[in-house]
Amino acid sequence: MDLRVGLIGLKGHQSTILSGVQAMQDARLVAVSDDDESKLAGVPGWPSAGPHTQTFSDGLKLLDSMELDIVGVCGTDSERAPMILAAAERGIHVIAEKPLAMDLDELAQVREAVQTGGIHLSMLLTMRCDPPYITMRRLIADGAIGEVCQAVMQKSYRLGERPEWQRSRETFSGIIPFVGIHALDLIRWVTDRDFTQGAAWCSNVGHPAMRDLEDNACVALQLDNGASASARLDYCRPAKAPTHGDDRLRVAGSEGVIEWMYTADQLTLLTNSEDPRVVELDEPIDQFANFVASIYEDKPSWVPAEDCIRMTEICLRLRDAANTGTVAQLA
Amino acid sequence: MDLRVGLIGLKGHQSTILSGVQAMQDARLVAVSDDDESKLAGVPGWPSAGPHTQTFSDGLKLLDSMELDIVGVCGTDSERAPMILAAAERGIHVIAEKPLAMDLDELAQVREAVQTGGIHLSMLLTMRCDPPYITMRRLIADGAIGEVCQAVMQKSYRLGERPEWQRSRETFSGIIPFVGIHALDLIRWVTDRDFTQGAAWCSNVGHPAMRDLEDNACVALQLDNGASASARLDYCRPAKAPTHGDDRLRVAGSEGVIEWMYTADQLTLLTNSEDPRVVELDEPIDQFANFVASIYEDKPSWVPAEDCIRMTEICLRLRDAANTGTVAQLA
C-alpha cells in the first residue's frame, strides 16, 4: 500500500496526523497547505515530510493538484466545512479538526457530502486516545462504579497568545464547540450515555483583548438514563501554574466514583466494596493508524463519523442555547 | 441579658445553635420539640440543656407554652415555613434550617411574616462560617484573582441511611434546595456576584430505595458580570471513601485561580504573578453568637435575612426549572 496523505491547515492538532504518518511505513505526506508562508517554510524539515512534500498557500489548490487518499483538515473553524465538502466531492477520506462546522446548516451539508461521497470521516477528538479515558471507559463498562449517576469534566488552560482567527465569531466557533467538544465527548464516550437536554453559559469577562474568544463556559446536561452531567471550560489557568492545562474527569455511580486528575497524574477509584486505589492505565491509541485501519482493514473506528457529527451537533446546539438563554433539546 | 432559646425539630444542623447557646453565658435552652420521643429523652443530658429544659412533641405547643426570644427551626422541610410563620406572629426571632420554604408561595408568606412581625431571621448556611470560604471571600474582594470569570462548587456525600421524610416530595424540598443551597450560596457570597439565569438537572438514578431523594444534580448559571458558574451535587460518595464528604470550591479569575479541596485540606492560590501557594486560613465564625449580636448589639448579620430569602428563591426556581426542563430567570 502507498498511502498518500495531504494536510490542509496548520492551526490545530495536526501533530496527531504527522506522527501517525511518520509511524506508518506505507504512508507519505505528499502535500501541505497553509496561508502562513513562514509555517510552510519549515515543512521540508519535518520528520514526517521531506523535500518531496509539496506546499500550497491554498487548500483547494492542494486538492486540485494532488492525488490523495486521506486529507487532514486542520485550518480555522470557518474553513473546516468547506474543505471537508471539497474533499468529499473528490472521494478523499477526511480526518478533521473539531468542530466539523460553524453552524447546523453547514453540519447538515457535511453529513450529506460524507454520505454522497462515500468517504470515511473522523475528527481529532484526540483525548479519546489518552490512557486515562480509555481506562475509565473500560472500567465503567465493566461495572466498576455501578449505574452512572453523574459525570463532570473540567478543561482549564492557559490563555497565552491566541491567533487572530480565534478572536472573531466569523472564523471561530466558540469555546464550547472548540474546547468543550472534548469534555462533552469524553463524558458521552466514557459513560456510554447520550445527552438528552442541556443549557450553557459562556462569555469573555476577563480578557478583552481576546474579543469574541470566550474565557469561560459552564454547561449542565441530562443523560439518557436521567443522570446529570456538567462541563466547565476556562482559559484562566494562570501563567505561573505548574502545567499548561488542568483536565479532570469525574464519574460518580451507584457503587463508586472514578476520577482522573491531570495535575496529580492519577486515576483513582473509590467504591463501596474495596479500599480506594490508584488504577494502572491502559495503553494509548494511535488515532491516525486506527483511522487508516478503519478504512482499509475494515477495523472499527475509534472515533467514528457518526460520533463526530453527533458531537458537533451537540456543541453547536449548546453554544446557540448559551447565546439565547434557552434549553437545548439534544435527544 | 437572659436569652431564652427554643428549638423546634432535631432534624438538621441544630448543633450550631446548641453549641452557640452553650458558649454564651446569658443564653438558656428553655425548650425543645420533636416528634421522636427517643430523641427528646436525651435532651436533659445535653451540655447546652439540663433538667430545666422542657420538651414537647409538637412545635406549636412549644411556642404557645413558652416565653422565647429566639427559636431554632430545625424540623423537616415541610414544617419549616409554618413554624417560621408561627414564630414571626409571636415576635420570636428565628434561625432556621434551609431552605426557608417548600415553594415560592410559602416563601412569599415567610417574607411577609418576617416583615410584619419585625423579627430577625437567619438560616443555617453553616458553611459561610468555615475558614476556607471566609478566606476565599476576603482574597477575592482584595483582588487576588482579578475579575471573576468562573466559579464552580462540588458537594459530594455518602448517602448512608436517610430518614423517611427525605424520601418524599411531600416533606423534602429536593437535593438542590437542601444541599445545593450551600454550594450556590457560597458561589454567590464568595464572589460577591449574584445569579441572573440558570438551568439544572437532577434525579435519583442509582438509589431507588431513596425514592424522591435525588442522588445527583448539576446546575449551570450566569453571574451578573457575565461570568459562568456551576454546582454539582451527589450522594454517591462510596462507603469506603476516606471522608464522609468531598466539598470543593474553585473560582477562576482574570489574574488567578483559588481553590479549596476538603479532602486535601488545602486552599491553593495560583496567580499570574506569584508562585503557587497554600493559603493560611482565617478564623471561623460562631454563627449563633453572631446572630444574637446582630439582634441585640446592632452588629451586621453574617447570614442576613435577605440572603436567606434570596437563596431559597434561587434554589426553588432552579429545582422547578430542573423539573420542567426550562431556564430559570433569577435576575
Side-chain angles (χ1 to χ4, degrees):
Chain A
M1 189 173 72
D2 175 32
L3 196 71
R4 295 156 301 180
V5 181
L7 183 57
I8 295 177
L10 299 172
K11 296 175 164 62
H13 288 86
Q14 62 269 6
S15 63
T16 299
I17 297 168
L18 296 174
S19 63
V21 167
Q22 197 188 337
M24 285 185 66
Q25 212 163 1
D26 300 336
R28 282 187 299 133
L29 185 69
V30 296
V32 177
S33 72
D34 198 80
D35 59 5
D36 183 342
E37 293 283 344
S38 70
K39 283 191 180 172
L40 291 180
V43 170
W46 290 358
S48 52
H52 61 272
T53 308
Q54 296 194 41
T55 58
F56 297 84
S57 59
D58 182 290
L60 282 178
K61 270 195 196 138
L62 184 154
L63 289 177
D64 284 335
S65 311
M66 307 295 294
E67 288 276 314
L68 297 178
D69 301 299
I70 294 177
V71 67
V73 176
C74 300
T76 68
D77 286 359
S78 55
E79 292 163 330
R80 194 150 312 123
M83 285 300 154
I84 298 173
L85 296 181
E89 274 171 27
R90 291 160 177 79
I92 304 168
H93 305 300
V94 174
I95 180 161
E97 259 296 345
K98 70 270 144 4
L100 294 176
M102 290 284 281
D103 58 44
L104 293 169
D105 285 347
E106 264 194 359
L107 182 63
Q109 292 174 47
V110 167
R111 186 191 280 117
E112 172 72 23
V114 167
Q115 205 158 20
T116 310
I119 64 160
H120 287 252
L121 172 74
S122 193
M123 195 163 71
L124 292 166
L125 291 169
T126 49
M127 297 180 77
R128 276 198 190 193
C129 300
D130 292 346
Y133 310 111
I134 297 171
T135 314
M136 288 177 86
R137 177 173 157 87
R138 177 176 58 76
L139 287 171
I140 291 170
D142 286 352
I145 61 165
E147 178 82 16
V148 168
C149 298
Q150 184 178 78
V152 175
M153 180 141 200
Q154 167 177 301
K155 282 188 77 66
S156 172
Y157 286 93
R158 289 199 195 120
L159 183 61
E161 276 307 305
R162 290 283 149 181
E164 187 58 27
W165 72 268
Q166 292 186 7
R167 303 184 193 200
S168 163
R169 282 273 164 102
E170 297 296 311
T171 44
F172 183 63
S173 59
I175 192 172
I176 294 173
F178 188 73
V179 179
I181 198 166
H182 283 295
L184 297 172
D185 178 61
L186 286 178
I187 288 173
R188 182 174 175 271
W189 184 69
V190 157
T191 64
D192 205 18
R193 289 278 167 205
D194 211 335
F195 300 112
T196 52
Q197 289 189 325
W201 281 272
C202 59
S203 63
N204 178 354
V205 173
H207 303 85
M210 295 299 148
R211 305 201 314 276
D212 296 351
L213 173 61
E214 300 103 341
D215 61 9
N216 75 90
C218 284
V219 187
L221 306 111
Q222 184 184 53
L223 298 178
D224 61 7
N225 68 339
S228 61
S230 68
R232 51 194 194 275
L233 321 168
D234 75 74
Y235 277 125
C236 296
R237 189 146 172 86
K240 291 259 192 181
T243 59
H244 174 64
D246 183 7
D247 291 338
R248 309 176 191 178
L249 178 57
R250 178 179 182 273
V251 186
S254 56
E255 301 299 327
V257 174
I258 189 163
E259 181 163 22
W260 166 248
M261 286 212 184
Y262 173 79
T263 57
D265 195 22
Q266 269 192 356
L267 180 64
T268 50
L269 179 63
L270 306 177
T271 71
N272 285 321
S273 52
E274 278 183 278
D275 284 335
R277 67 182 172 98
V278 174
V279 179
E280 201 181 330
L281 301 184
D282 293 3
E283 291 297 313
I285 290 282
D286 181 327
Q287 188 176 356
F288 185 76
N290 169 265
F291 183 55
V292 171
S294 75
I295 300 170
Y296 300 105
E297 298 168 33
D298 210 24
K299 294 241 171 103
S301 173
W302 204 252
V303 188
E306 65 254 34
D307 282 7
C308 306
I309 292 168
R310 174 73 178 143
M311 284 312 309
T312 299
E313 181 198 348
I314 286 167
C315 290
L316 293 175
R317 286 193 190 280
L318 287 166
R319 177 199 64 187
D320 295 349
N323 290 337
T324 53
T326 56
V327 168
Q329 299 303 326
L330 306 172
Chain B
M1 188 173 74
D2 174 32
L3 195 71
R4 295 157 301 182
V5 180
L7 183 55
I8 294 176
L10 299 172
K11 296 176 165 61
H13 288 86
Q14 62 270 5
S15 63
T16 298
I17 298 167
L18 296 174
S19 62
V21 168
Q22 198 188 339
M24 285 186 66
Q25 211 162 4
D26 300 337
R28 282 188 299 134
L29 185 69
V30 296
V32 177
S33 72
D34 198 82
D35 58 5
D36 183 340
E37 293 283 343
S38 70
K39 284 191 179 173
L40 291 178
V43 171
W46 290 357
S48 52
H52 61 273
T53 308
Q54 296 195 41
T55 57
F56 296 84
S57 60
D58 181 290
L60 282 178
K61 272 194 196 140
L62 182 155
L63 289 176
D64 283 336
S65 311
M66 308 295 294
E67 288 276 315
L68 297 179
D69 301 299
I70 293 175
V71 66
V73 176
C74 301
T76 67
D77 287 358
S78 54
E79 292 163 330
R80 194 150 312 121
M83 285 300 154
I84 297 172
L85 296 180
E89 272 172 28
R90 291 158 177 81
I92 305 167
H93 305 299
V94 173
I95 181 161
E97 258 297 343
K98 71 271 145 7
L100 294 175
M102 289 286 279
D103 57 45
L104 293 168
D105 286 346
E106 264 194 0
L107 181 63
Q109 293 175 47
V110 167
R111 186 192 280 116
E112 172 73 21
V114 167
Q115 207 159 19
T116 309
I119 64 159
H120 288 252
L121 172 73
S122 193
M123 194 162 73
L124 292 167
L125 290 170
T126 49
M127 296 181 77
R128 277 199 190 191
C129 300
D130 292 345
Y133 310 110
I134 297 170
T135 314
M136 288 178 87
R137 178 173 157 87
R138 176 177 58 75
L139 288 171
I140 291 170
D142 287 352
I145 61 164
E147 178 81 17
V148 168
C149 299
Q150 184 178 81
V152 175
M153 181 141 200
Q154 168 177 301
K155 282 188 76 66
S156 172
Y157 286 94
R158 288 198 195 120
L159 184 62
E161 274 308 303
R162 292 282 149 181
E164 187 58 27
W165 70 268
Q166 292 186 6
R167 304 185 193 198
S168 163
R169 280 271 164 103
E170 298 295 312
T171 43
F172 183 63
S173 59
I175 192 172
I176 294 174
F178 188 73
V179 179
I181 198 165
H182 283 295
L184 296 173
D185 177 62
L186 286 177
I187 289 174
R188 183 174 174 269
W189 184 70
V190 157
T191 64
D192 206 19
R193 290 278 168 204
D194 211 336
F195 300 112
T196 52
Q197 289 189 325
W201 281 273
C202 59
S203 63
N204 178 355
V205 173
H207 303 86
M210 296 299 149
R211 305 201 314 275
D212 296 351
L213 173 60
E214 300 102 342
D215 60 10
N216 75 90
C218 284
V219 188
L221 306 112
Q222 185 183 54
L223 297 177
D224 61 7
N225 68 340
S228 61
S230 67
R232 52 194 193 273
L233 322 167
D234 75 74
Y235 277 125
C236 295
R237 190 148 171 84
K240 289 260 192 180
T243 59
H244 174 64
D246 183 8
D247 290 339
R248 309 176 191 177
L249 178 57
R250 179 179 181 272
V251 186
S254 56
E255 302 299 327
V257 174
I258 190 164
E259 181 163 21
W260 166 250
M261 284 212 185
Y262 173 79
T263 55
D265 194 23
Q266 270 192 354
L267 180 63
T268 51
L269 179 63
L270 305 178
T271 71
N272 285 319
S273 53
E274 279 183 278
D275 283 335
R277 67 183 172 96
V278 174
V279 180
E280 203 180 328
L281 301 184
D282 294 2
E283 290 297 312
I285 291 281
D286 182 326
Q287 188 176 355
F288 185 77
N290 168 266
F291 183 55
V292 172
S294 76
I295 300 170
Y296 300 106
E297 299 167 35
D298 210 23
K299 294 241 170 103
S301 173
W302 202 252
V303 188
E306 65 255 35
D307 282 7
C308 306
I309 292 167
R310 174 74 177 141
M311 283 315 308
T312 300
E313 182 198 349
I314 286 167
C315 290
L316 293 175
R317 286 194 191 280
L318 286 167
R319 177 201 62 187
D320 295 349
N323 290 337
T324 53
T326 56
V327 168
Q329 298 304 324
L330 306 172

